[in-house]
Amino acid sequence: MREHVAVMDGNVSPTIILKNGMYLNTYTKQWQQANIWILCDRIVYAGDAMPEKYDRAEVIDCSGQYLVPGYMEPHAHPFQLYNPESLAHHGAEYGTTTFINDNLLWNFLLDKEKAFSLLNALDRLPVSMYWWARLDSQTALQKDEDLFSTSSVMSWLQHPSVIQGGELTAWPSLLDGDDRLLYWIQEAKRLGKPIEGHLPGASERTLTKMKLLGVSADHEAITGKEVMTRLQLGYQVGLRYSSIRPDLPNLIDELLAEGLHSFDHLMMTTDGSTPGFYENGIMNVCVAIAIDRGIPLPDAYRMASHNVAAYYGLIEEVGCIAPGRLANINILEDPNHPTPAGVLAKGEWIHKDHPSNETVSSVDWSGHDIQPVTFNWDLTLDDMQFSVPLGLQLINDVIIKAYAINTDVTLDVIPDNNDDAFLMLMDRQGQWRVNTAIKGFTNRLGGLASSYSASGDIVFIGKCKQDMLLAWQRMKELGGGIVAAHDGEILFELPLPLSGSMFAGGMRELIEKEKTLQTLLQSFGYPFDDPVYAILFLSSTHLPYIRITQQGIIDVKKRDVLFPATMR
């Protein structure tokens, strides 16, 4: 801080000066011409003057250009095949320089000491990384209390990089009197950390109850009226634009039709979309939609910066161009086009004039126990005994209903004249399994094996048991991944060497691989848009109506185990 003042006093040279640019003052919502002085990772000054001493400064003439705060993604799930580092680098290329991330996967994979060490390593990236502390698992685990104990949850909430609790998918339990959840919420609030809800379809009455119980924000509104209800009740509202819920354009249209003129309590989120959705960037795409639909320019940019930082209590650190803040700045050629020509993050150039090549990983994943999975067990035909009368029917990518299995699943091959297939969830350690059928995923694919799932267990889907075994053997050799096999041949493989859940390469390579997988599965009868999310959400008990979990087949609404897991 003294050194920053020394720059103002003319005793120390800035490291970068952005000269003669028009910057967005997000406090006054005005464009101002200014010279912006930066020392290392911090903005020192934004105004008319030039420093007395700038012999060591890189001076960039920004005449005719527009400077806005680096964009912030307030609700990221940074392990949807990609990993947090690759997502951060890719997003930063397009101006998203701050991520607020889900910690769910670290609960499954790492003890808290190793997880916190990994958070520290990610904090050294030029992109700003913050985290949430999950209060529930989003699935039905066999030993939920081991992962989500008061000691564990409180350790996460007290970590300086953790800035909120949630997202709270177990809110029905809270309403039913779960005082342990309420205690964690109270402790988060005492620490000054808000609670993110997960309240799809909630009524005004339920939203009011959740507000009384401490929930601060929600991103599940799917109509303008639902957004307005949340705003009127004092919620911070995230408008979603994701691969499975691209609602943002319609939400904005409906909010403007409702006569909304104040946008200070609105944010935007891509809510952990699958890789291909990010081909053209992350929050820059959302800002472009907001501008196109008629949100005033200052508010459109604030919804992806200042509003987020203010809500999370980070406005003295990020979210605006002002003295003392991190130098996260996007340089635009045109204020109506938010994809930047240049990006600074923590005072480092992510790119100038054009996006750079993929950044080489700087995180030592294996040093943090994130490495290929070693499977010390094997799968056999004896495991593939299917007799449960109830299966899972895909209604779309994420909604699943129960159905009565009429197909003969005692056969080794299910005929291609229907869209039934074998479905099995296998414990990552090989201790238990859940066997049933799935309808609506494929009408002829022999076998698919995936270590990518909501709980980190292994998902098997297919028409042919031998092809499922073949896919398993290849996935085992890879140390985790998604493998598709048909007629005795491997058709596709996506290695996920980072604990069987995440790709180790760059986003552009991953995007192409995901496109190939999607095209392949759709050619084998997958009828919807996002098969990766369908695989992920098979175990996710925050979604209706039935799921396959570690405990067995679950009726989500009644919270009943219909058919329990079988020990091997």
Side-chain angles (χ1 to χ4, degrees):
M1 291 179 179
R2 294 290 186 193
E3 196 171 20
H4 296 160
V5 173
V7 174
M8 292 300 300
D9 288 339
N11 297 321
V12 172
S13 170
T15 49
I16 296 175
I17 299 171
L18 304 177
K19 184 179 178 182
N20 296 328
M22 293 289 292
Y23 87 99
L24 178 62
N25 187 313
T26 51
Y27 282 94
T28 65
K29 300 185 182 182
Q30 294 175 317
W31 296 96
Q32 298 176 225
Q33 186 164 356
N35 303 314
I36 297 171
W37 313 351
I38 296 165
L39 179 66
C40 299
D41 65 341
R42 295 283 170 168
I43 299 167
V44 172
Y45 173 82
D48 295 332
M50 285 290 287
E52 294 178 27
K53 182 181 179 69
Y54 57 96
D55 54 302
R56 296 185 179 180
E58 177 187 13
V59 181
I60 305 295
D61 189 352
C62 296
S63 299
Q65 295 181 309
Y66 297 80
L67 282 58
V68 296
Y71 309 137
M72 302 178 67
E73 167 52 272
H75 189 92
H77 300 273
F79 30 72
Q80 309 298 39
L81 299 181
Y82 39 76
N83 64 70
E85 183 185 25
S86 62
L87 177 68
H89 282 311
H90 181 74
E93 293 285 346
Y94 294 90
T96 303
T97 56
T98 299
F99 289 82
I100 299 169
N101 296 310
D102 186 0
N103 78 326
L104 183 60
L105 190 64
W106 307 146
N107 283 284
F108 292 138
L109 297 180
L110 301 172
D111 63 46
K112 62 187 179 184
E113 286 76 16
K114 290 176 181 175
F116 294 164
S117 175
L118 178 56
L119 262 59
N120 291 338
L122 292 168
D123 196 44
R124 291 191 287 272
L125 298 174
V127 179
S128 301
M129 303 287 270
Y130 301 95
W131 299 85
W132 342 326
R134 282 278 190 165
L135 307 184
D136 60 90
S137 66
Q138 200 170 286
T139 186
L141 302 175
Q142 292 201 344
K143 296 182 178 180
D144 186 84
E145 65 279 0
D146 292 347
L147 293 181
F148 292 90
S149 65
T150 293
S151 172
S152 175
V153 169
M154 289 309 303
S155 293
W156 276 96
L157 285 172
Q158 291 164 358
H159 192 280
S161 292
V162 172
I163 60 173
Q164 75 165 358
E167 64 183 288
L168 189 63
T169 57
W171 59 270
S173 298
L174 181 64
L175 288 179
D176 286 346
D178 187 333
D179 280 338
R180 188 176 69 155
L181 265 180
L182 182 57
Y183 171 71
W184 294 343
I185 291 170
Q186 288 174 320
E187 287 300 291
K189 304 286 273 193
R190 184 179 63 81
L191 291 166
K193 300 181 180 185
I195 298 295
E196 171 80 4
H198 179 97
L199 307 169
S203 66
E204 181 187 41
R205 182 180 181 84
T206 296
L207 289 167
T208 300
K209 289 181 181 180
M210 297 309 298
K211 201 75 180 69
L212 293 170
L213 290 168
V215 175
S216 314
D218 185 65
H219 62 282
E220 292 290 334
I222 60 173
T223 68
K225 289 187 180 297
E226 290 183 357
V227 174
M228 290 296 290
T229 298
R230 285 160 171 76
L231 289 173
Q232 290 160 356
L233 292 172
Y235 281 83
Q236 185 84 4
V237 182
L239 307 181
R240 184 163 46 192
Y241 187 66
S242 76
S243 53
I244 55 173
R245 293 282 345 172
D247 297 325
L248 181 61
N250 289 337
L251 289 176
I252 292 174
D253 289 348
E254 292 175 10
L255 288 172
L256 294 176
E258 290 276 344
L260 184 67
H261 299 294
S262 175
F263 308 97
D264 292 352
H265 297 287
L266 293 176
M267 308 182 293
M268 298 178 287
T269 177
T270 60
D271 196 12
S273 294
T274 42
F277 195 75
Y278 292 141
E279 187 166 15
N280 297 312
I282 303 182
M283 296 311 296
N284 59 305
V285 177
C286 293
V287 176
I289 291 170
I291 293 169
D292 181 64
R293 307 312 278 203
I295 299 290
L297 281 177
D299 287 301
Y301 285 105
R302 276 179 52 114
M303 286 165 65
S305 57
H306 192 115
N307 293 2
V308 181
Y311 168 69
Y312 283 110
L314 299 172
I315 197 62
E316 291 294 317
E317 187 82 1
V318 292
C320 59
I321 297 174
R325 276 56 168 200
L326 284 172
N328 295 346
I329 298 174
N330 292 333
I331 301 173
L332 313 177
E333 299 293 347
D334 182 336
N336 291 290
H337 296 96
T339 298
V343 178
L344 276 170
K346 294 181 182 175
E348 295 184 28
W349 287 107
I350 302 297
H351 75 78
K352 295 181 188 178
D353 301 325
H354 58 82
S356 60
N357 295 323
E358 293 277 9
T359 304
V360 177
S361 174
S362 63
V363 175
D364 177 13
W365 292 102
S366 62
H368 295 91
D369 275 2
I370 303 292
Q371 52 197 337
V373 182
T374 300
F375 296 100
N376 296 315
W377 54 275
D378 213 345
L379 185 71
T380 69
L381 280 174
D382 290 339
D383 292 308
M384 295 185 175
Q385 305 298 317
F386 295 83
S387 58
V388 171
L390 194 72
L392 282 66
Q393 181 177 3
L394 290 183
I395 305 303
N396 57 35
D397 290 313
V398 298
I399 305 300
I400 305 174
K401 290 187 175 180
Y403 84 105
I405 300 172
N406 296 316
T407 299
D408 186 355
V409 292
T410 65
L411 302 172
D412 286 344
V413 179
I414 295 177
D416 291 351
N417 60 3
N418 60 54
D419 60 352
D420 293 83
F422 301 115
L423 171 63
M424 180 164 61
L425 184 70
M426 180 69 73
D427 174 32
R428 178 181 281 227
Q429 307 303 323
Q431 299 297 311
W432 52 261
R433 57 181 169 82
V434 183
N435 293 28
T436 182
I438 186 168
K439 188 176 185 64
F441 189 90
T442 182
N443 56 21
R444 63 189 187 93
L445 180 66
L448 179 141
S450 174
S451 59
Y452 170 79
S453 68
S455 60
D457 299 306
I458 315 303
V459 173
F460 295 91
I461 300 172
K463 291 275 195 175
C464 173
K465 293 179 181 178
Q466 288 295 338
D467 283 334
M468 292 165 70
L469 285 171
L470 179 61
W472 151 252
Q473 289 297 335
R474 182 55 184 152
M475 191 206 73
K476 184 177 180 181
E477 292 170 3
L478 293 172
I482 300 176
V483 177
H486 189 70
D487 286 345
E489 295 183 11
I490 300 296
L491 299 185
F492 173 86
E493 58 184 52
L494 172 59
L496 299 175
L498 302 183
S499 295
S501 299
M502 297 171 286
F503 187 62
M507 279 287 284
R508 294 186 182 96
E509 181 185 359
L510 177 59
I511 286 168
E512 293 307 312
K513 288 182 178 293
E514 188 212 3
K515 286 180 181 178
T516 301
L517 174 61
Q518 181 171 326
T519 299
L520 174 71
L521 292 178
Q522 288 175 338
S523 75
F524 277 91
Y526 185 80
F528 309 116
D529 297 323
D530 203 331
V532 170
Y533 251 120
I535 294 167
L536 176 71
F537 280 159
L538 287 170
S539 300
S540 296
T541 54
H542 67 296
L543 295 164
Y545 293 91
I546 188 170
R547 301 287 146 168
I548 184 170
T549 75
Q550 291 185 4
Q551 293 182 13
I553 300 174
I554 297 276
D555 180 317
V556 172
K557 187 173 182 180
K558 295 180 180 178
R559 299 180 220 171
D560 290 339
V561 178
L562 304 177
F563 297 95
T566 301
M567 299 305 294
R568 297 178 75 215

